[in-house]
Amino acid sequence: MKFNSAFPFSAIIKNCFLMGFLCLTAMCFGQEQSETDSLELRYTSNTYSKNKKLSLLNELAQKHPDPQKKLFYSLELIEHAKLLDSSKFLFQGYMYKGTSLRLKSDFIQALESYFKAANIASKNENQRDLGLVNISIADIYSITSNHENAVKYYKAGMDLLKKENDLENYANGLSNLGDEYFNTKEYDLAMECFMESGLIFRKIKSLEGNAFVLGNMGMVYAEKGKDDLAEANINEAIRIMKNLELYYPISVYLTYMSDIYASKNNRKAAIAYSKRSLDLATKYSLKEQISDANLQLSKLYELNGNYKKSLNHFKDHSTFEDSVANIEKVQKMADLRTEFEVSKKQTEVDLLTQQQKTQNIQVDLLNQQNKNKQNVVVATIIALFLIAMIAFGLFRRNKYISKTKLIIEEEKHRSDNLLLNILPEETAQELKKNGKVEAQRFESVTVLFTDFESFTSYSEKLTPEKLVKSVDYYFSKFDMIIEKYKLEKIKTAGDSYMCAGGLPFPTKDHAIKMTLAAFEIVQFVEDTKHLNDPDIAHFDIRIGINTGPVVAGVVGTKKFAYDIWGDTVNVASRMESNSIPGKINIAENTYQLIKDAFECEYRGEIDVKNKGILKMYFATSIKEKTFYAFMNGQKEVV
């Protein structure tokens, strides 16, 4: 749980979708402001040749960061493309028009513009353009909460882009699909999409794509309660986006940073992030973010007891959110008031007529009627009072039950999360259901051990605080890498880290995934040596890997621990102790499984303590086809 249930910050981000920004039509936000200023000066001063006008308008519509000006240049491009019968620039004009309208929250007209672009692409039989516009159409359906159509158009667009071998825009669509899964709270599917698109963005060195992947992964971590990972990812995304002037997503991520700090009860920082988001959204007329930032500030000021500011921000939020609904309500109220006034006048007329008819009624009868009316009024008041008391009692009781139920659900959710941090999900479910976990044998599991070179002697020179911070820094990154490849962390002991692949769900490619993870661990440790942080110690690392059968189970009755046993584990440990710093030492069994995917160097037969002579290899590099297999979304690589 991120924050108090009465203040659901995560709901603020639900309608602040980032999907469209990774499409080709929205990459324009990453250009330098000076470049767009220069282009505008050329256009307004008419210092260009006539045959360059379409190209200049195309650049302005593509690159301008202001949605209103982007719309203006898109319409100019469409008009001149029609005059010159240029289907290429006409397609681009409708795409940029759709993007600018979407940024201005005019979703119906944005969708109409995208469908016009789709008709042009179909007529020209341009599959790549049709793939791009399908992704943009899916963005609109996603923003308007039409999940079924959003997923349908994302997948259709991605299929076309993949057939055209357009890896960059295929990755964009994949990232947008991850956003859609995020908004429907399918966080595992979302993270799978983000990780796969991230591999491609890093391969093609796309700063924009990598920034969005970092930010979106941060949002997933935040929803899973992993606020430290969320904050690190989102801050890095914002840093990159500042240089690229990606204003809308910065505004969204700033709101999410406010969410994270609010969950830590740091309201001062939360308010500062929300104000930054509001200022940025106001500057560029980003209506959704203006509404969301105002709502977030309203909630924060309410918690701080500043009700005046809270009310002002809530009014600003409502101005956008409920403008249409308010107009309808005012009209309805006007109609009701007119009906009431007519009814009131008619009642008065009827009353006067009745008074004229009853003037001659005897005085004692009139007094009796008045007395009866008084009795009815008194009885009615008493009845209404009793009904109000009963309703109030039921309201209090229902509120108490709801609050108690919510507390129970929160505690259950917290205990489930704690259990999942200790045990694999399948094992945790078995433990909750049966109260115990039966030991299970797995015929093929890959086990990895790491160890820091000369850790004991080096750690004696460090303060306890620096030592703990350094080990936590390394192991936290190892955890992220292991989670990325869907491997299972087993345990840590001092400076030793142990993980396994192929359990609790057997797979065929666990050796491949484990070796890929090992390469990332080695690269991370090497990169850390260049980190200019006096609080982080620098180490060399040895890695050992072995594959074979193991027995897995849970030990303990109070502090549960998931562990594995067998000769495979012992040999993996020996592989690590016989490795050298910066190298990945693998046993014969592992080598036979990965030799087609990785370059390996045979070390010969080495005498190992208590194991005799064993063949060993160094995994030295990744063969190109291994990367492309994962990039293309294969579930298993052989």
Side-chain angles (χ1 to χ4, degrees):
M1 172 143 179
K2 290 170 58 49
F3 200 64
N4 189 290
S5 61
F7 188 12
F9 282 95
S10 58
I12 294 173
I13 207 71
K14 180 176 177 59
N15 293 317
C16 301
F17 302 90
L18 301 178
M19 272 72 77
F21 286 92
L22 286 178
C23 293
L24 177 65
T25 59
M27 286 297 187
C28 55
F29 282 82
Q31 301 297 323
E32 296 289 341
Q33 182 65 47
S34 59
E35 183 180 355
T36 55
D37 290 344
S38 176
L39 290 171
E40 280 191 296
L41 182 61
R42 284 181 57 198
Y43 183 72
T44 55
S45 60
N46 203 24
T47 55
Y48 56 86
S49 58
K50 290 185 178 180
N51 60 343
K52 294 293 184 180
K53 187 170 186 176
L54 282 178
S55 297
L56 181 57
L57 283 170
N58 186 70
E59 282 193 85
L60 282 166
Q62 178 189 13
K63 298 177 181 178
H64 210 295
D66 187 332
Q68 187 60 41
K69 288 190 175 182
K70 186 181 186 69
L71 177 59
F72 171 78
Y73 289 117
S74 299
L75 294 173
E76 288 281 289
L77 178 60
I78 291 170
E79 180 182 348
H80 289 283
K82 287 180 178 178
L83 290 174
L84 297 176
D85 196 24
S86 172
S87 61
K88 171 187 173 183
F89 285 112
L90 187 60
F91 170 82
Q92 298 285 20
Y94 281 120
M95 287 293 284
Y96 300 144
K97 177 185 176 183
T99 299
S100 59
L101 288 168
R102 188 194 66 240
L103 295 176
K104 292 166 64 64
S105 301
D106 192 345
F107 303 128
I108 295 177
Q109 289 194 43
L111 197 59
E112 289 176 355
S113 185
Y114 285 142
F115 277 122
K116 287 180 180 179
N119 288 335
I120 296 171
S122 297
K123 184 177 180 181
N124 294 339
E125 297 184 353
N126 190 320
Q127 300 302 305
R128 178 181 176 275
D129 284 351
L130 190 57
L132 291 174
V133 74
N134 273 336
I135 298 296
S136 296
I137 290 170
D139 292 340
I140 299 296
Y141 282 126
S142 180
I143 293 171
T144 53
S145 302
N146 191 330
H147 177 66
E148 183 178 353
N149 274 351
V151 173
K152 172 185 174 182
Y153 276 93
Y154 278 134
K155 290 184 176 180
M158 289 164 56
D159 286 343
L160 291 169
L161 293 170
K162 192 171 185 180
K163 289 177 182 177
E164 294 297 309
N165 200 29
D166 187 347
L167 295 181
E168 180 176 10
N169 284 301
Y170 171 76
N172 294 336
L174 189 62
S175 181
N176 292 359
L177 178 59
D179 288 328
E180 175 62 18
Y181 285 133
F182 172 84
N183 287 309
T184 55
K185 298 185 178 182
E186 298 174 86
Y187 299 128
D188 290 338
L189 288 175
M191 185 62 82
E192 185 177 331
C193 290
F194 294 148
M195 285 184 172
E196 186 177 343
S197 62
L199 282 173
I200 302 174
F201 286 133
R202 287 193 292 274
K203 177 67 175 178
I204 64 179
K205 298 179 180 179
S206 169
L207 285 177
E208 296 94 336
N210 194 44
F212 277 98
V213 167
L214 286 170
N216 293 345
M217 288 176 65
M219 290 164 62
V220 175
Y221 284 130
E223 291 298 330
K224 287 189 170 184
K226 300 178 180 180
D227 286 344
D228 290 341
L229 289 174
E231 185 176 350
N233 277 267
I234 292 175
N235 273 330
E236 178 64 13
I238 291 175
R239 184 190 67 79
I240 297 172
M241 288 174 177
K242 280 182 179 179
N243 295 330
L244 302 176
E245 295 186 357
L246 295 169
Y247 301 120
Y248 184 99
I250 291 176
S251 181
V252 175
Y253 289 141
L254 286 172
T255 302
Y256 229 87
M257 287 299 297
S258 173
D259 187 0
I260 292 171
Y261 277 101
S263 72
K264 296 180 178 180
N265 211 27
N266 187 345
R267 295 175 192 161
K268 182 177 180 181
I271 289 173
Y273 275 108
S274 290
K275 284 183 175 180
R276 287 173 59 191
S277 177
L278 179 59
D279 290 343
L280 191 64
T282 302
K283 181 177 180 181
Y284 292 99
S285 302
L286 306 174
K287 294 182 181 179
E288 284 185 278
Q289 278 309 103
I290 292 173
S291 173
D292 292 335
N294 273 307
L295 180 60
Q296 184 116 329
L297 285 167
S298 173
K299 296 291 187 179
L300 287 167
Y301 281 124
E302 181 183 0
L303 289 178
N304 276 354
N306 192 335
Y307 300 109
K308 183 177 180 180
K309 284 190 175 181
S310 175
L311 179 59
N312 289 337
H313 282 291
F314 187 79
K315 286 180 178 178
D316 291 340
H317 159 72
S318 299
T319 298
F320 169 79
E321 191 73 16
D322 299 322
S323 58
V324 175
N326 286 341
I327 292 172
E328 293 176 352
K329 288 178 182 177
V330 169
Q331 185 62 50
K332 287 181 179 178
M333 289 176 68
D335 293 340
L336 287 172
R337 182 168 182 83
T338 300
E339 293 171 3
F340 171 74
E341 293 295 339
V342 172
S343 176
K344 183 178 178 182
K345 291 296 181 182
Q346 183 61 47
T347 301
E348 291 174 355
V349 172
D350 293 341
L351 182 60
L352 288 172
T353 303
Q354 184 64 29
Q355 287 176 347
Q356 291 175 356
K357 290 181 178 180
T358 59
Q359 284 180 353
N360 298 323
I361 297 178
Q362 298 177 357
V363 174
D364 56 344
L365 179 60
L366 180 61
N367 291 336
Q368 183 64 40
Q369 288 175 344
N370 290 335
K371 187 176 180 179
N372 291 339
K373 289 181 180 178
Q374 289 177 356
N375 291 338
V376 171
V377 170
V378 172
T380 301
I381 293 173
I382 294 173
L384 290 174
F385 176 76
L386 291 175
I387 292 172
M389 292 294 294
I390 294 171
F392 180 72
L394 291 173
F395 171 76
R396 290 283 301 273
R397 181 174 180 274
N398 184 64
K399 186 176 180 181
Y400 174 77
I401 292 173
S402 299
K403 186 176 181 181
T404 304
K405 183 179 179 182
L406 185 61
I407 293 173
I408 294 171
E409 289 177 352
E410 289 175 359
E411 291 302 318
K412 181 178 181 297
H413 182 66
R414 183 183 301 173
S415 64
D416 288 344
N417 284 341
L418 288 173
L419 194 61
L420 289 175
N421 284 335
I422 300 172
L423 305 175
E425 183 174 358
E426 181 188 51
T427 306
Q429 294 298 332
E430 182 180 353
L431 182 63
K432 288 196 297 182
K433 180 180 179 181
N434 303 326
K436 63 179 181 177
V437 177
E438 297 292 338
Q440 187 176 3
R441 178 179 174 84
F442 295 88
E443 295 302 327
S444 181
V445 170
T446 299
V447 182
L448 176 145
F449 278 90
T450 75
D451 189 70
F452 293 123
E453 178 74 9
S454 303
F455 178 81
T456 302
S457 60
Y458 188 73
S459 62
E460 293 174 353
K461 303 174 185 178
L462 303 175
T463 64
E465 293 80 8
K466 184 173 181 179
L467 179 62
V468 172
K469 184 175 181 179
S470 297
V471 172
D472 178 68
Y473 173 78
Y474 284 100
F475 284 175
S476 294
K477 181 62 177 180
F478 292 1
D479 288 345
M480 292 176 64
I481 295 171
I482 294 307
E483 183 178 352
K484 171 182 175 181
Y485 289 100
K486 297 185 178 181
L487 304 171
E488 194 68 39
K489 176 182 176 181
I490 302 301
K491 61 184 176 181
T492 61
D495 65 318
S496 177
Y497 187 97
M498 176 185 176
C499 61
L503 56 75
F505 301 105
T507 60
K508 294 182 180 180
D509 58 351
H510 51 79
I512 298 285
K513 290 181 177 179
M514 186 65 78
T515 310
L516 285 171
F519 274 105
E520 284 204 29
I521 290 173
V522 170
Q523 187 60 50
F524 167 71
V525 173
E526 186 63 28
D527 291 343
T528 301
K529 294 179 182 178
H530 304 293
L531 184 66
N532 188 18
D533 187 342
D535 292 330
I536 301 298
H538 298 159
F539 297 109
D540 288 316
I541 193 168
R542 297 190 306 265
I543 295 181
I545 302 176
N546 183 38
T547 303
V550 301
V551 173
V554 175
V555 295
T557 57
K558 292 185 177 181
K559 294 185 178 180
F560 301 109
Y562 185 76
D563 208 347
I564 57 176
W565 300 271
D567 191 59
T568 299
V569 179
N570 298 331
V571 171
S573 178
R574 295 292 185 269
M575 290 299 109
E576 175 271 312
S577 60
N578 282 274
S579 185
I580 63 176
K583 294 289 187 178
I584 303 169
N585 192 33
I586 63 174
E588 173 71 17
N589 291 342
T590 306
Y591 169 74
Q592 293 299 330
L593 294 175
I594 72 165
K595 62 183 179 180
D596 292 332
F598 298 88
E599 299 290 349
C600 298
E601 175 187 333
Y602 181 53
R603 299 183 63 190
E605 296 182 343
I606 298 175
D607 189 10
V608 177
K609 182 179 178 181
N610 298 329
K611 293 296 177 184
I613 302 298
L614 295 178
K615 291 182 179 180
M616 298 185 191
Y617 302 79
F618 283 140
T620 58
S621 63
I622 306 172
K623 292 183 179 179
E624 195 70 15
K625 72 174 184 179
T626 307
F627 171 79
Y628 280 108
F630 270 90
M631 181 184 68
N632 290 328
Q634 293 184 11
K635 299 300 181 183
E636 296 176 353
V637 180
V638 294

